[in-house]
Amino acid sequence: MYRKVNANCEMHTKKKQSGYESKSFAIPRGTMMEHNLRRPLSSKVPAWFERKFDFTFPAEQYPNVCVRLWGTPARLEEILRKVTTDVLVGKPQEKWSAQEHAGHLLDLEPLWMARVDDFLTDRDTLAVADLGNRKTHEANHNAQELAEILAGFRTARLRLVEHLGTFEPDVFARTSLHPRLKQPMRLVDHLYFVAEHDDHHLAKIWELIAF
């Protein structure tokens, strides 16, 4: 018995010396205590403006991309379901909260629709985005009801998808220049770009509420 106790004490001492000490209590999953302890110091989600895109897939895949766009409101609603208000509006390192990321998705819907119309009118260059995201910074999304943000996003996104459903297949192969990327993209590429942007912010939200 003495040897066992002594060995345990020695192991405990080594752990403390190495900078690690095991915890003798369990933190309930989903609690604020767990959330605060597990939150990463920096985001592991790749920076959006550093993303590179290779638009080489067939334009015939547009139905698959449209389904991704159609499903984003449901995924957003599911990921934020039952998240407490303090976690929703928390701003780690004074960056956007989970609720502000959701509001940002809503803020960009007019831009996505405008760019779709650019393809329809054969504009050489797509509408320019506000790279400073001023609309989101000034919207004060944290002071709004989450339900209003989610409802607004669902309405706007379904309007976009329904609009796309009226196009002939050849329209999705029309091209225009993306103003920031400085590369031509087809309408189907633009929709893929939007879907990837959706996933970027869903990943940011998931990181904020799950870690």
Side-chain angles (χ1 to χ4, degrees):
M1 174 65 72
Y2 171 78
R3 290 179 179 177
K4 184 175 181 180
V5 172
N6 187 55
N8 287 339
C9 290
E10 182 180 0
M11 183 180 295
H12 181 73
T13 301
K14 288 181 177 179
K15 288 179 179 178
K16 290 188 68 175
Q17 291 174 345
S18 64
Y20 168 80
E21 182 176 5
S22 62
K23 302 297 182 182
S24 59
F25 60 92
I27 302 172
R29 291 188 59 81
T31 63
M32 275 301 298
M33 189 174 188
E34 182 198 38
H35 177 79
N36 290 334
L37 287 176
R38 297 174 62 208
R39 175 173 290 171
L41 295 178
S42 60
S43 175
K44 302 300 186 293
V45 181
W48 176 251
F49 288 136
E50 296 177 6
R51 286 283 308 273
K52 304 297 182 183
F53 295 90
D54 182 18
F55 302 121
T56 57
F57 58 91
E60 290 77 14
Q61 291 187 10
Y62 73 86
N64 305 52
V65 182
C66 289
V67 166
R68 286 182 63 187
L69 297 177
W70 174 79
T72 301
R75 290 190 292 150
L76 180 63
E77 291 162 8
E78 177 62 24
I79 200 172
L80 293 178
R81 187 169 60 92
K82 296 183 179 180
V83 178
T84 58
T85 301
D86 48 357
V87 175
L88 278 174
V89 302
K91 294 173 67 71
Q93 300 175 343
E94 291 306 308
K95 296 183 178 180
W96 285 352
S97 67
Q99 186 154 309
E100 286 172 319
H101 279 284
H104 177 67
L105 291 178
L106 172 59
D107 292 338
L108 286 193
E109 285 300 292
L111 174 65
W112 305 146
M113 182 68 86
R115 286 181 171 176
V116 168
D117 290 338
D118 289 341
F119 285 100
L120 293 180
T121 57
D122 294 320
R123 284 193 59 184
D124 294 333
T125 304
L126 298 174
V128 177
D130 172 19
L131 301 182
N133 293 315
R134 179 177 178 179
K135 185 175 182 179
T136 301
H137 287 296
E138 295 180 352
N140 196 16
H141 288 302
N142 277 350
Q144 302 174 25
E145 292 292 333
L146 176 62
E148 294 180 3
I149 296 174
L150 296 178
F153 178 62
R154 173 175 283 277
T155 298
R157 177 53 58 86
L158 295 185
R159 184 184 303 119
L160 173 64
V161 175
E162 289 172 1
H163 187 40
L164 297 171
T166 66
F167 298 169
E168 294 295 329
D170 63 292
V171 175
F172 292 91
R174 294 186 183 182
T175 62
S176 184
L177 183 71
H178 189 282
R180 178 176 65 84
L181 297 177
K182 301 300 182 184
Q183 68 183 92
M185 60 168 53
R186 302 161 297 175
L187 173 55
V188 67
D189 301 327
H190 164 60
L191 301 178
Y192 174 80
F193 181 88
V194 175
E196 288 294 296
H197 181 266
D198 287 350
D199 286 354
H200 171 81
H201 287 282
L202 288 175
K204 284 282 194 177
I205 292 171
W206 178 77
E207 189 175 63
L208 286 168
I209 68 174
F211 290 90

